[in-house]
Amino acid sequence: MREIRSDTKFTFPGRAGKYSSFQWNYQHFTAVDTDFNDNLYQAVYLIEGKSFDTNVDMEKGSFDYLMGCDVDVAHPDVQQELKNWGTWYLNEVGLDGVRFDAVKHIEAGFFPDWLIHVRAQAGRDIFAVGEYWS
């Protein structure tokens, strides 16, 4: 085990809760790739008590982690916030469809649940496509 110092708290004080009062913290992520104690050491650091998702592309062992702070889409607060974001975006722009980027890095079970929620909020079918390079 290695103790590190990294960014895992995001509060967005400039928006003053306008679009969302959600504040991201270490519980909402599974891994990070920065240790401010040693910027030269390159690694992916799994947050204590977390595990990588298994329902992702298994290229190179597991493609759960992509970069930065890996969002824990299994965390109930994260799931709700992403559903809230989808609803907000739907209402703000009146979207007809969504494109999921880099889906091979995200737990596959997340997408159907999110789409069911957004489609229910819209009261209509919302087109969806995912980008998956293999």
Side-chain angles (χ1 to χ4, degrees), residues 1-133:
M1 182 158 69
R2 177 185 175 115
E3 189 169 314
I4 69 165
R5 189 172 56 89
S6 191
D7 287 331
T8 56
K9 186 169 185 175
F10 304 95
T11 61
F12 308 103
R15 71 179 183 201
K18 181 176 180 183
Y19 304 106
S20 171
S21 60
F22 190 72
Q23 295 188 5
W24 296 82
N25 65 58
Y26 77 95
Q27 296 172 335
H28 303 127
F29 303 100
T30 55
V32 296
D33 63 2
T34 303
D35 178 4
F36 295 123
N37 294 326
D38 186 354
N39 288 323
L40 299 179
Y41 190 82
Q42 294 185 352
V44 173
Y45 305 98
L46 186 64
I47 294 174
E48 189 173 10
K50 298 288 185 160
S51 60
F52 288 114
D53 293 325
T54 56
N55 201 10
V56 296
D57 189 288
M58 296 310 287
E59 184 180 339
K60 299 183 182 179
S62 172
F63 256 32
D64 180 26
Y65 181 81
L66 179 59
M67 64 183 179
C69 291
D70 186 56
V71 175
D72 183 359
V73 296
H75 194 287
D77 293 345
V78 171
Q79 290 177 359
Q80 189 58 54
E81 179 62 8
L82 294 177
K83 288 176 182 176
N84 292 346
W85 171 83
T87 300
W88 173 84
Y89 201 63
L90 171 78
N91 293 332
E92 191 70 19
V93 301
L95 59 85
D96 293 322
V98 293
R99 177 187 181 269
F100 297 113
D101 189 45
V103 297
K104 73 182 194 176
H105 301 279
I106 301 169
E107 175 68 32
F110 167 77
F111 299 105
D113 193 42
W114 188 89
L115 275 170
I116 288 167
H117 173 82
V118 171
R119 287 172 174 161
Q121 294 297 310
R124 65 183 189 282
D125 200 19
I126 300 293
F127 175 79
V129 65
E131 176 263 326
Y132 188 111
W133 286 93

